[in-house]
Amino acid sequence: MDLSKVTAYKVIKEKKLTDIRSTGYLLRHIKTGARVMLIENDDENKVFNIAFRTPPKNSTGVAHILEHSVLCGSREFPLKDPFVELVKGSLNTFLNAMTYPDKTCYPVASCNDQDFQNLMHVYLDAVFYPNIYEKEEIFRQEGWNYHLEKPEGPLTYNGVVYNEMKGAFSSPDDVLEREIMNSLFPDITYGCESGGAPENIPDLSYEEFLDFHRTYYHPSNSYIYLYGNMDMTEKLDFIDRHYLSAFDSLDVDSEIREQKTFDAMQDLTKEYPVAESESEEDNAYLSYNVVVGTAMDSLTAIAFEVLDYALLSAPGAPLKKALLDAGIGKDIYGAYEDGIRQPYFDIIAKGANADKKEEFVSIIRDVLQKVAETGIDRKALDAGINSMEFRYREADFSSYPKGLIYGLDILGNWLYDDEHPFAQVELIPVFEKLKSLKNTGYFEELIRKYLLDNPHGSVLTLMPSRGLAARKAKALEEKLAAYLGECTEEERQEMVKRTSALEAYQEAEEDPEAAKCIPMLKREDIRKSADKFYNEELDVDGSLFLYHEVSTNGIAYLDLMFDLKNLAPDKVPYLGLLKSVLGYVDTAHYTYGELSNEINAETGGIACGVEVFDRADSVDEYRAFFGVKGKVMYPKMDVIFRMIREILNTSDVTDTRRLHEIISRVKSRAQSSLVSAGHSTAVLRAASYASPMAAFQDGMAGIAYYQFIEKLDREFDDRKEEIIENLKSLMVEILRPENLCISYTGERESLDSVQKQIRELKKTLHQEVTESSSSEMICQKKNEGFMTSGQVQYVAQAGNFRKKGYDYTGALNILKVALSYDYLWINIRVKGGAYGCMSGFKYSGESFFVSYRDPHLKRTFDVFAGIPDYVRGFQADEREMTKYIIGTISGKDVPKTPQMKGSISKAAWFCGLTEEMVQKERDEILNAQAEDIQALAPLIEAILSDEEICVVGSEPEVQKEKELFMNISPLING
């Protein structure tokens, strides 16, 4: 890069970043003082991010509402939703915005240079020149508004962020996280809820909202980040000429101040809502929380990540074990929470009782005291350091661009420290330093300093409260009714008028001419050929060995798969339990704690799971496998296979105490995920009414599995022998050489070594003859409403078009984009105020429509019912059609990590998906016209005609619409 050409900026620092094979530059924009970071390398997946320090002074959610609102039109892009137009017509690999406790980020990524330039242009215009000053409707749509359809009422609140946060505050884990931060930082910005607390959001005025933008969205308060292979000089010149040069320097007071250290630990009790059906017993959270130094201290930060593993997170870690042994909580977890100026460490007991608080604190302090005196298990420290270093070197962030994650991590330092901005991508020396310190008492001293002798902390008890959600809802209803009662007739009429004016604004068609201002690519910019698969079919002593030759930088990605083709349906729930047991119980040579440390000290980890593949050539057929995945550097291949043999052949499932701990933990985590991912929960359950594969998945990981686990937990003492026998017989039935196939991703030099190990492994598996009694999964239409203590709904409808005689076509991919960013987006998100809406169509014909954090229920089904009319009347000129096609392809052309390449190839093989089928689908997308979309209307009618529905939602709302359901029940039983 020729720095002499960068005249509008002052170069402050240039540095070789050897960890990530890049060169880093730190610059300051001379006129405004904007901070700029460049990370130059050969990564084609380019990233741009502009971030601002945005410390809120209250919990009205102003920073979060602004993050949504600036993307609703700007000076050069005066549409209602340029963000949506961009998504439809861009090859982006990432496009979003995020609000954190002290910063707001606007990152984009793309591999296409022109596309990247377009995205950067739209985002810069959005943050510096948003339409929020001209259009108050944006604030009312995205933030909050009074919704009044007729003068006599009822009056309600609506708004996208308002409903999103109602959803967030329905999750006890989110409530706990918020209360912990409030307890540790009561006097500074972290004591506020940057996302917005539902009860405080309606306190925010339009003027305060605008004022927040005027104050913080200025170049002088910005952090601009560019990463990847691009002409950096050209990008800097564009940013200066089009944006920064128009501003003067401003003294923005956005410093994130530190909380003054407490004189003594705080002791607080708070409440969270549970449904009427849930028990208050064994349902409290206890947490021990301490502030740990500052974000600028990388050594302490990584050391605490290691301590988290060694003391708390690893199976058998001393804090976790002592608290579980004492019966305090059904699940013990915690973390080192960073990304803010003052990170903190928390230890949490979930499924506990408030009267155990003193004992909880006492055990934590006793264990820490003992560990500080006698020393931490060295193998646990090795395991903690190695697993973190392995992840850091591997840099596999799945479908997220590497440069995006690096950039967000960098802000965790750069926001508070201009001296060491690159610290988060210079960690290999830190790992080396920690290895040299592990025998010097360094870690033990950290325990004494921060966890034992540190007054800056809190002990927080979060108590379950039955009816709390209903009482709050009732109080809000009465408050709004009283407010409406005090309004004059004119004021009521004005509110009705404003409600219909907002609806008219939302319903107004975009000006087609204005839409042309959004820059977009051409169909010619998209490559014609689909991705190829990396599948080489080999054989190892009669077992399928599916080899994926990919460059992995010396890492072996191993996948042992045991075919479940003959498994009886009543054994499916035990399969779900088995994957949580193997690797977490004692084996012949290790306690379960030692096992975890041995694996993590030498490898990148081993995990058991179940994978299911639906056949592309069938409507009901599927293949299911019990899998053992592992990753390791080639020289340690024998180590990972030794540990896999240890787990598969010598796991002891007879320790009833340990089994009950695992079952309680599984139940506790399933409770959280069923609600927080309510959309996935509802879709899977609705699909299970007719799809054998979905019924299998529901029985192993969905609502049916939760009901099974909840019953096992409750009846454990009476059923423990039966549980042990079922697990033992299941292992003998499935962990057999004739069931084994292998999927392996790595370089060819490692192939012989893996195949040799497979041959040895097969000899050790169960050889005895067993009887199997396979039968089909039973599907039955149930149309259920599951009630929660939350305040929002997840509304799902499923069906299968192939069962009605329709074929899969690539045009369905385009329809999915059109629904997500046009019909469903406008009706469910924009007008309905829900946070999200999705749809999906599989080769097998299985399809769904679902809403996410939705204030409505029946209205959403009415919106789904209107999809065929929308499809029939679908209109798009060449430009609009091209936009949809590009948006569709962008979801398919995501750069893939080595592990993803192997995984996608494996899935294609087991689904019966060929390169020809994928190419045909791509051709259908690239050549699609509006009439191809219109032709899908009968197919959508076929899906909806199955009338398979499931809702996870608030108790009152589900009860109110009970005639829609065949069955209503609580999601979580007491």
Side-chain angles (χ1 to χ4, degrees):
M1 179 175 150
D2 185 356
L3 292 171
S4 64
K5 291 183 179 170
V6 185
T7 53
Y9 303 82
K10 180 183 178 192
V11 179
I12 293 168
K13 193 170 283 195
E14 178 181 348
K15 198 166 196 196
K16 282 269 172 272
L17 304 173
T18 51
D19 289 13
I20 60 169
R21 295 185 282 283
S22 307
T23 305
Y25 302 89
L26 194 67
L27 299 84
R28 271 291 177 106
H29 184 248
I30 293 165
K31 188 176 178 207
T32 62
R35 295 167 174 83
V36 180
M37 180 182 288
L38 315 175
I39 293 187
E40 201 173 36
N41 52 39
D42 60 4
D43 193 340
E44 289 303 326
N45 202 354
K46 298 171 260 292
V47 179
F48 163 80
N49 183 19
I50 181 160
F52 302 92
R53 281 204 299 220
T54 49
K57 295 181 174 63
N58 53 40
S59 295
T60 58
V62 58
H64 186 189
I65 295 168
L66 201 51
E67 174 238 301
H68 280 239
S69 300
V70 301
L71 294 171
C72 295
S74 65
R75 180 183 66 178
E76 288 192 42
F77 308 104
L79 298 173
K80 284 190 297 184
D81 226 331
F83 173 77
V84 167
E85 294 304 313
L86 264 187
V87 175
K88 286 193 291 199
S90 152
L91 288 172
N92 73 83
T93 53
F94 187 86
L95 181 71
N96 213 332
M98 296 90 106
T99 307
Y100 292 89
D102 56 12
K103 60 182 172 282
T104 309
C105 302
Y106 296 87
V108 296
S110 179
C111 296
N112 179 292
D113 200 59
Q114 186 55 52
D115 188 41
F116 180 74
Q117 178 65 33
N118 297 346
L119 295 171
M120 198 171 85
H121 188 178
V122 174
Y123 262 43
L124 283 163
D125 208 64
V127 297
F128 290 128
Y129 299 107
N131 276 352
I132 55 173
Y133 294 93
E134 288 79 49
K135 297 199 184 307
E136 190 180 337
E137 293 93 337
I138 295 171
F139 166 67
R140 292 171 57 222
Q141 171 182 293
E142 299 299 321
W144 74 275
N145 64 77
Y146 284 122
H147 186 84
L148 186 67
E149 290 180 7
K150 41 190 193 290
E152 59 275 20
L155 177 65
T156 56
Y157 289 135
N158 203 2
V160 174
V161 169
Y162 178 73
N163 290 317
E164 179 190 347
M165 297 312 291
K166 270 170 68 176
F169 276 62
S170 298
S171 152
D173 299 291
D174 286 355
V175 173
L176 178 71
E177 187 185 335
R178 175 189 182 226
E179 295 292 3
I180 288 173
M181 275 189 78
N182 287 357
S183 73
L184 295 173
F185 309 107
D187 308 318
I188 62 166
T189 196
Y190 301 140
C192 304
E193 175 51 61
S194 64
E199 63 270 23
N200 300 126
I201 288 172
D203 296 336
L204 180 66
S205 74
Y206 177 52
E207 197 42 54
E208 286 167 324
F209 161 80
L210 295 179
D211 200 47
F212 197 86
H213 181 269
R214 284 187 199 102
T215 305
Y216 296 116
Y217 279 61
H218 189 280
S220 303
N221 188 43
S222 68
Y223 293 76
I224 296 169
Y225 168 85
L226 287 163
Y227 164 97
N229 183 0
M230 68 184 94
D231 184 338
M232 294 283 187
T233 323
E234 176 194 278
K235 297 286 177 268
L236 288 172
D237 182 52
F238 171 82
I239 294 169
D240 169 59
R241 278 188 303 106
H242 272 76
Y243 292 99
L244 302 186
S245 61
F247 293 85
D248 293 318
S249 178
L250 192 67
D251 187 11
V252 181
D253 180 10
S254 64
E255 190 194 344
I256 313 301
R257 291 170 177 77
E258 290 188 17
Q259 172 68 45
K260 189 167 166 287
T261 303
F262 298 164
D263 295 329
M265 278 187 87
Q266 309 293 297
D267 190 335
L268 300 103
T269 301
K270 300 285 181 180
E271 286 185 321
Y272 79 94
V274 290
E276 290 297 339
S277 57
E278 284 183 71
S279 170
E280 291 184 338
E281 193 184 341
D282 295 340
N283 220 350
Y285 289 74
L286 302 171
S287 71
Y288 182 96
N289 323 293
V290 287
V291 174
V292 176
T294 68
M296 290 78 89
D297 183 351
S298 293
L299 186 67
T300 303
I302 300 295
F304 256 90
E305 298 272 14
V306 173
L307 277 177
D308 168 35
Y309 173 86
L311 295 175
L312 187 63
S313 295
L319 274 174
K320 179 182 282 192
K321 190 169 187 314
L323 290 164
L324 285 173
D325 287 351
I328 295 180
K330 298 291 174 69
D331 190 10
I332 306 296
Y333 60 96
Y336 172 73
E337 307 282 1
D338 59 1
I340 56 175
R341 185 173 186 125
Q342 291 173 280
Y344 60 94
F345 186 73
D346 52 26
I347 301 159
I348 297 163
K350 179 181 177 182
N353 286 296
D355 59 7
K356 293 281 184 84
K357 180 186 71 179
E358 305 300 334
E359 195 184 348
F360 168 72
V361 174
S362 166
I363 290 170
I364 289 171
R365 297 191 70 81
D366 288 351
V367 170
L368 291 173
Q369 199 73 53
K370 189 173 165 200
V371 171
E373 284 164 15
T374 59
I376 304 170
D377 178 353
R378 290 295 167 263
K379 195 75 178 186
L381 289 178
D382 285 341
I385 295 169
N386 179 67
S387 61
M388 283 196 64
E389 185 175 357
F390 192 103
R391 283 201 308 274
Y392 176 70
R393 286 178 183 269
E394 183 187 26
D396 184 343
F397 306 109
S398 187
S399 58
Y400 292 108
K402 252 194 309 205
L404 168 78
I405 304 299
Y406 288 150
L408 295 174
D409 285 348
I410 279 166
L411 278 171
N413 222 71
W414 186 24
L415 208 67
Y416 324 107
D417 180 9
D418 284 333
E419 294 301 304
H420 308 97
F422 302 113
Q424 295 296 324
V425 289
E426 297 183 297
L427 294 181
I428 287 172
V430 177
F431 292 121
E432 294 308 319
K433 177 84 170 158
L434 288 176
K435 288 173 199 170
S436 72
L437 288 172
K438 71 172 190 256
N439 296 316
T440 65
Y442 169 76
F443 284 96
E444 290 76 6
E445 183 49 41
L446 287 181
I447 291 173
R448 280 189 284 270
K449 179 176 177 183
Y450 289 113
L451 301 183
L452 285 168
D453 303 337
N454 178 7
H456 195 170
S458 68
V459 176
L460 178 70
T461 307
L462 191 63
M463 301 278 287
S465 174
R466 266 208 205 111
L468 178 63
R471 288 195 300 277
K472 282 188 167 180
K474 184 90 182 111
L476 177 60
E477 204 179 299
E478 287 169 358
K479 175 186 162 182
L480 288 169
Y483 175 69
L484 188 64
E486 290 164 8
C487 290
T488 64
E489 185 58 32
E490 288 78 10
E491 286 168 335
R492 290 177 185 218
Q493 290 293 354
E494 181 56 31
M495 271 199 268
V496 172
K497 213 161 93 186
R498 281 167 73 87
T499 300
S500 63
L502 179 58
E503 285 172 353
Y505 167 78
Q506 292 167 334
E507 284 171 14
E509 292 285 320
E510 290 281 20
D511 173 3
E513 281 309 305
K516 289 180 181 165
C517 68
I518 295 286
M520 59 178 266
L521 303 172
K522 299 190 261 314
R523 289 199 199 197
E524 304 82 77
D525 292 324
I526 309 170
R527 66 181 160 86
K528 301 289 179 282
S529 57
D531 284 345
K532 65 188 187 75
F533 298 132
Y534 303 83
N535 286 326
E536 195 175 324
E537 225 177 301
L538 305 173
D539 177 278
V540 177
D541 295 350
S543 292
L544 167 70
F545 187 102
L546 198 58
Y547 173 50
H548 321 289
E549 186 178 3
V550 176
S551 173
T552 60
N553 216 5
I555 298 173
Y557 293 102
L558 183 70
D559 208 342
L560 306 181
M561 304 166 71
F562 293 90
D563 201 332
L564 300 167
K565 58 182 174 291
N566 297 320
L567 193 71
D570 61 342
K571 294 180 179 173
V572 169
Y574 274 101
L575 197 62
L577 180 58
L578 185 64
K579 69 179 166 44
S580 300
V581 167
L582 292 185
Y584 294 90
V585 291
D586 296 350
T587 61
H589 301 98
Y590 301 94
T591 66
Y592 67 89
E594 291 166 347
L595 183 73
S596 163
N597 291 338
E598 189 68 29
I599 290 167
N600 287 306
E602 303 285 344
T603 77
I606 296 172
C608 295
V610 179
E611 281 192 282
V612 194
F613 305 100
D614 53 348
R615 297 286 305 170
D617 51 7
S618 161
V619 292
D620 280 338
E621 237 186 285
Y622 65 94
R623 294 193 69 179
F625 297 88
F626 185 86
V628 184
K629 289 182 195 282
K631 48 189 176 185
V632 69
M633 304 303 290
Y634 298 154
K636 298 273 179 87
M637 197 77 81
D638 59 328
V639 179
I640 201 163
F641 272 95
R642 176 166 54 81
M643 298 316 291
I644 288 172
R645 287 195 299 272
E646 180 83 18
I647 290 169
L648 294 184
N649 301 322
T650 77
S651 286
D652 175 13
V653 298
T654 64
D655 179 346
T656 54
R657 181 177 189 148
R658 180 64 186 146
L659 266 186
H660 200 182
E661 281 175 6
I662 290 171
I663 287 168
S664 293
R665 187 191 76 224
V666 168
K667 176 189 145 187
S668 154
R669 299 203 174 174
Q671 274 182 0
S672 299
S673 64
L674 285 181
V675 180
S676 62
H679 58 310
S680 306
T681 305
V683 165
L684 180 60
R685 186 67 169 190
S688 76
Y689 305 153
S691 155
M693 172 170 147
F696 178 93
Q697 290 172 299
D698 187 55
M700 177 213 66
I703 288 177
Y705 179 60
Y706 172 74
Q707 290 168 343
F708 162 80
I709 281 290
E710 196 257 334
K711 200 159 186 274
L712 283 197
D713 186 44
R714 195 171 61 241
E715 299 169 1
F716 185 81
D717 288 337
D718 298 332
R719 295 180 59 184
K720 54 192 176 195
E721 297 308 322
E722 172 201 337
I723 294 168
I724 289 167
E725 281 316 304
N726 280 324
L727 287 172
K728 279 181 169 177
S729 69
L730 189 61
M731 288 167 74
V732 172
E733 186 180 339
I734 63 177
L735 302 177
R736 308 174 59 75
E738 67 269 27
N739 291 339
L740 178 66
C741 44
I742 301 96
S743 167
Y744 176 67
T745 305
E747 281 110 343
R748 202 165 285 276
E749 71 205 56
S750 61
L751 200 51
D752 287 347
S753 154
V754 178
Q755 293 182 324
K756 178 167 156 278
Q757 293 287 353
I758 294 290
R759 289 188 181 93
E760 291 307 309
L761 171 75
K762 285 185 72 174
K763 292 175 193 165
T764 70
L765 296 171
H766 296 288
Q767 311 283 338
E768 61 269 43
V769 178
T770 63
E771 285 183 31
S772 60
S773 54
S774 175
S775 61
E776 289 298 308
M777 294 297 297
I778 296 163
C779 296
Q780 182 191 355
K781 186 164 165 179
K782 295 176 182 161
N783 284 10
E784 296 153 298
F786 290 98
M787 299 178 290
T788 72
S789 61
Q791 303 172 65
V792 289
Q793 282 64 246
Y794 303 89
V795 180
Q797 184 159 356
N800 190 309
F801 58 84
R802 277 185 60 184
K803 288 183 180 178
K804 303 272 172 46
Y806 294 95
D807 292 328
Y808 180 86
T809 161
L812 283 163
N813 292 270
I814 299 174
L815 178 58
K816 179 181 166 172
V817 172
L819 289 174
S820 294
Y821 294 107
D822 189 14
Y823 178 76
L824 291 180
W825 177 276
I826 289 167
N827 288 289
I828 288 178
R829 180 174 161 128
V830 175
K831 293 188 202 169
Y835 184 49
C837 44
M838 302 116 200
S839 60
F841 308 96
K842 290 182 172 182
Y843 270 91
S844 64
E846 206 178 289
S847 306
F848 71 85
F849 308 103
V850 68
S851 66
Y852 180 82
R853 290 184 181 170
D854 187 349
H856 302 288
L857 196 163
K858 185 171 184 307
R859 177 190 182 279
T860 299
F861 285 124
D862 294 340
V863 172
F864 294 161
I867 297 173
D869 284 345
Y870 164 76
V871 176
R872 214 172 269 112
F874 182 85
Q875 293 297 326
D877 60 17
E878 176 56 24
R879 178 189 163 85
E880 193 65 14
M881 204 62 213
T882 299
K883 194 185 289 180
Y884 280 125
I885 288 166
I886 292 169
T888 302
I889 291 292
S890 112
K892 297 194 169 291
D893 288 1
V894 176
K896 295 166 184 71
T897 65
Q899 189 171 8
M900 282 167 74
K901 287 176 184 171
S903 195
I904 289 165
S905 300
K906 170 189 73 179
W909 199 91
F910 285 109
C911 291
L913 197 59
T914 64
E915 288 184 353
E916 290 72 29
M917 289 162 79
V918 176
Q919 186 60 53
K920 176 176 179 280
E921 178 193 49
R922 192 178 183 94
D923 293 343
E924 286 167 348
I925 294 169
L926 292 176
N927 300 320
Q929 302 299 332
E931 46 271 30
D932 298 309
I933 307 300
Q934 293 160 7
L936 298 173
L939 181 149
I940 300 298
E941 283 171 334
I943 295 165
L944 294 171
S945 69
D946 285 341
E947 294 183 338
E948 292 157 8
I949 65 167
C950 177
V951 172
V952 173
S954 76
E955 217 162 343
E957 199 64 26
V958 171
Q959 289 283 10
K960 191 173 108 189
E961 306 294 352
K962 60 178 183 286
E963 74 284 353
L964 291 173
F965 305 104
M966 296 177 183
N967 184 28
I968 288 177
S969 60
L971 183 66
I972 310 297
N973 284 306

